[in-house]
Amino acid sequence: MFSTKNHHIIPSQFYCHQECSNTMILSYFFDSISSLWLQLNNVDYEITVVLFTVSLLVLAGAWTAWISKNTPPLPPGPRGLPLVGNLPFLDPELHKCFQTLAQAYGPIVRLQLGTKVGVVISSPAAAREVLRDNDATFANRDVPELAMDAVAKGHSDIVFSPHGPGWQMLRKVCVREVLGTATLESVYGLRRREIRNTVRYLHSQVGSPVNVGEHMFLTALNAITSMLWGVTMKEEERTRIGVDFRVAVAEAMELLGKPNLSDFFPGLAWFDLQGLKKQMMGLVGRFNKIFDAITDRGLGLDGGKESRDFLQVLLQLKNEGDAKTPLTMTQLKVLFMDMVLGGTETTSNAIEFAMAEMMNKPEILKKAQQELDTVVGKDSIVEESHINKLPYLNAILKEVLRLHPVLPLMVPHCPSQTCIIGGYTIPKGARVFINIWAIHRDPLIWENPAEFHPERFLDGKLGFRGGDFSYFPFGSGRRMCAGIAMAERMFLFSLASILHSFEWKLPEGEELDLSEKFGIVLKKRVPLVAIPTPRLSNPALYD
């Protein structure tokens, strides 16, 4: 438990009274100067100028001292070294490192990250001030150099675009048109095909160890790319492009996860000392070739509503879009990248953690399978329509995202102006981390926070929409994740299918490891390897 002594949270609204006082005092200073000028009007000119100048300097000094005295301080934090600040002292497991700092300095901690000021938020109250009370101020992102130059294409994607008309258009396209209920329902067959392919493959590996995370990553990638262009591309062509795409995605995720000096010392970006930008730009060229091949196929198609994929939806929106904020081909390509990068490792890692936690507590695994047997039956297969009838499986999803949130520090926010949070000054342009990993494990909020206990969510009070700042795995406010609906469907449908179809056990002599490895996306440090055994009544159900 961290100490809150001398680190009280003071609502930012308190400071509106200070701003009024500032205005009154400034007016008083100018009135004083005017009065002094009138009194000296008949004195010798040179003496008047000297006295006026001295008076102005004295008043300006007093004003500066008063402002300094009455401006809230920067948040507390550890001392750093010249030039590099706190960078040398940060543990690679940043989510745990930041939690330790919060225990020492309070729920709002300041760090000097090279030339950047970093601020770590680790309490529901402070998170509420940032993401709800001052949502507009914190609506921009602190964009990593590689993402700015490559993935975000100069801020043309939904994740890193600055808040404004362009971002609002992209958000609307994603939430209402592409990832809305109607479109997701229309591509259910494509999603189902890939999950059934995974079940079929796992059945062929019965009795042999399989890497669960690796196969769930391939399932998520194949399902998402199938939804993106599964109708547009023929099977053979889709498979060939999928292989190239899979390799490029893996390389991009590896690059984005590497520490980049340019993020902490922007002046070094031009030199590309680590060669990361060069590598990323090479990947961009490969992605462009893949996307050009895909979009070229889609330009001449006019699929009906029942047979369209995301590509055809986006191309139609591009052609019929708002003239003021048109959807460009560059934005279309980068939206594809957002969906793939944002929906593959996040989904597969969450499923892998869920499987590991359930195998560590066999009674939970058994309870989830009993629910599936009741709702689906052993003589049938899971369909996506079943998932709303599986409250325990839904509770498992929520508990996994509490204990192992896919983005432990979220995407950093960046205030567009200096503001007051929790009684501290947060400077404009700071890199603001929201440590939801620490909030989700706070013993002041959660009973036995380190324990995997899905029952805590069976009452249905907490959801994914970010309204409660003790639990918000997908973020909150206007920049919360746009793909919640698709993520929820992919996780539940995939996990239900492999739980219902197979029993799972560890290889002989192996021990279960639940430790985490920090990154942009949280993952298991040791991959889960398990052996599947069929549990359905009819072998034909695996075909």
Side-chain angles (χ1 to χ4, degrees):
M1 182 190 308
F2 58 75
S3 170
T4 56
K5 184 178 180 181
N6 297 325
H7 301 301
H8 301 294
I9 299 295
I10 303 173
S12 56
Q13 291 87 342
F14 170 83
Y15 289 93
C16 67
H17 301 297
Q18 176 181 310
E19 292 172 4
C20 295
S21 300
N22 292 350
T23 303
M24 294 172 62
I25 292 173
L26 183 61
S27 176
Y28 171 77
F29 282 170
F30 279 114
D31 288 345
S32 299
I33 292 172
S34 299
S35 176
L36 182 62
W37 175 262
L38 291 174
Q39 293 177 31
L40 297 174
N41 194 36
N42 297 320
V43 183
D44 183 77
Y45 176 78
E46 287 81 2
I47 297 176
T48 300
V49 171
V50 170
L51 290 174
F52 180 79
T53 302
V54 170
S55 300
L56 187 61
L57 290 173
V58 169
L59 289 172
W63 168 251
T64 301
W66 191 90
I67 287 292
S68 177
K69 180 180 178 181
N70 289 275
T71 298
L74 292 172
R79 291 185 178 181
L81 298 175
L83 187 63
V84 294
N86 302 112
L87 288 174
F89 308 108
L90 297 180
D91 190 285
E93 298 296 304
L94 276 183
H95 57 315
K96 296 180 181 179
C97 176
F98 287 171
Q99 182 190 47
T100 301
L101 289 172
Q103 291 168 350
Y105 294 96
I108 306 177
V109 178
R110 173 180 52 85
L111 297 168
Q112 192 62 45
L113 307 174
T115 60
K116 284 262 188 179
V117 174
V119 176
V120 183
I121 303 295
S122 302
S123 76
R128 182 182 292 108
E129 282 202 63
V130 170
L131 300 175
R132 188 183 68 184
D133 301 344
N134 295 277
D135 187 15
T137 299
F138 287 88
N140 290 332
R141 301 294 201 186
D142 186 64
V143 186
E145 184 71 26
L146 287 182
M148 184 187 300
D149 290 336
V151 180
K153 289 280 188 177
H155 303 304
S156 62
D157 81 328
I158 193 171
V159 177
F160 295 114
S161 292
H163 182 257
W167 175 83
Q168 290 171 340
M169 180 272 294
L170 292 174
R171 176 85 182 187
K172 179 180 178 181
V173 165
C174 279
V175 175
R176 295 187 184 179
E177 305 294 341
V178 181
L179 300 178
T181 301
T183 306
L184 287 176
E185 290 289 349
S186 72
V187 293
Y188 167 56
L190 301 174
R191 208 159 47 245
R192 181 183 188 276
R193 178 184 65 195
E194 299 303 335
I195 291 175
R196 295 306 304 166
N197 283 342
T198 295
V199 170
R200 186 180 303 112
Y201 173 80
L202 291 174
H203 187 254
S204 73
Q205 301 298 305
V206 162
S208 301
V210 298
N211 186 316
V212 175
E214 180 179 290
H215 288 293
M216 297 319 299
F217 175 81
L218 293 176
T219 301
L221 178 60
N222 290 339
I224 290 172
T225 54
S226 187
M227 288 185 282
L228 288 172
W229 58 75
V231 172
T232 302
M233 310 287 291
K234 293 182 179 179
E235 179 72 28
E236 182 178 342
E237 193 172 23
R238 187 175 69 247
T239 301
R240 177 181 58 80
I241 288 180
V243 172
D244 294 339
F245 199 75
R246 186 183 309 142
V247 174
V249 166
E251 292 182 23
M253 291 301 291
E254 183 179 355
L255 279 177
L256 288 171
K258 291 182 177 180
N260 187 1
L261 285 173
S262 299
D263 290 335
F264 309 110
F265 303 96
L268 298 178
W270 186 85
F271 300 100
D272 191 25
L273 296 175
Q274 298 161 273
L276 298 179
K277 180 176 180 179
K278 182 179 179 181
Q279 295 177 58
M280 183 59 81
M281 295 312 293
L283 274 177
V284 169
R286 287 162 57 186
F287 276 125
N288 279 335
K289 289 181 180 179
I290 294 171
F291 284 127
D292 287 342
I294 295 165
T295 52
D296 286 347
R297 302 294 187 281
L299 287 172
L301 296 179
D302 184 24
K305 289 186 178 180
E306 298 302 320
S307 61
R308 295 192 305 169
D309 50 31
F310 290 171
L311 173 62
Q312 293 179 35
V313 172
L314 287 169
L315 287 173
Q316 181 178 344
L317 288 172
K318 174 183 174 296
N319 294 332
E320 300 175 357
D322 186 349
K324 293 183 179 179
T325 52
L327 178 64
T328 67
M329 188 61 75
T330 296
Q331 288 172 324
L332 188 152
K333 292 178 181 179
V334 177
L335 280 177
F336 271 30
M337 279 300 302
D338 282 345
M339 291 181 198
V340 172
L341 294 179
T344 48
E345 272 207 299
T346 54
T347 301
S348 61
N349 290 350
I351 293 173
E352 186 179 14
F353 271 121
M355 289 293 295
E357 291 285 1
M358 285 189 289
M359 292 178 70
N360 188 52
K361 287 191 169 184
E363 68 277 10
I364 294 178
L365 178 59
K366 184 177 180 180
K367 188 172 180 179
Q369 289 179 323
Q370 287 175 342
E371 181 180 63
L372 284 161
D373 292 344
T374 300
V375 174
V376 181
K378 284 191 175 183
D379 56 351
S380 186
I381 61 173
V382 175
E383 300 290 353
E384 205 170 74
S385 58
H386 290 127
I387 62 178
N388 290 328
K389 305 171 186 176
L390 302 168
Y392 195 66
L393 196 70
N394 277 270
I396 288 172
L397 167 59
K398 291 178 179 179
E399 178 69 343
V400 167
L401 295 179
R402 180 194 69 82
L403 202 56
H404 309 286
V406 290
L407 299 177
L409 300 178
M410 299 176 56
V411 179
H413 289 256
C414 182
S416 56
Q417 62 185 20
T418 297
C419 63
I420 310 300
I421 298 293
Y424 297 114
T425 296
I426 309 299
K428 176 182 177 180
R431 177 174 296 177
V432 179
F433 303 93
I434 312 291
N435 193 351
I436 60 172
W437 184 90
I439 294 173
H440 285 184
R441 290 173 177 247
D442 189 341
L444 297 178
I445 302 170
W446 304 95
E447 184 179 352
N448 300 320
E451 180 185 350
F452 184 74
H453 186 63
E455 283 75 8
R456 71 176 91 232
F457 285 101
L458 283 178
D459 60 10
K461 292 181 180 179
L462 292 177
F464 297 128
R465 301 299 168 179
D468 189 314
F469 289 92
S470 62
Y471 181 75
F472 52 112
F474 292 100
S476 184
R478 65 193 72 194
R479 296 307 291 251
M480 72 185 300
C481 176
I484 296 176
M486 186 170 75
E488 190 175 7
R489 288 172 185 246
M490 280 297 303
F491 177 96
L492 291 170
F493 190 19
S494 301
L495 183 61
S497 296
I498 63 174
L499 282 178
H500 181 246
S501 300
F502 304 100
E503 300 287 357
W504 294 88
K505 67 177 183 179
L506 293 176
E508 193 69 31
E510 293 291 327
E511 293 186 3
L512 196 60
D513 187 301
L514 294 172
S515 60
E516 302 167 333
K517 181 180 180 181
F518 177 80
I520 294 177
V521 177
L522 197 67
K523 62 175 64 178
K524 279 186 89 278
R525 183 171 297 279
V526 179
L528 175 63
V529 175
I531 299 174
T533 303
R535 66 184 305 271
L536 299 183
S537 60
N538 185 355
L541 295 173
Y542 294 96
D543 295 334

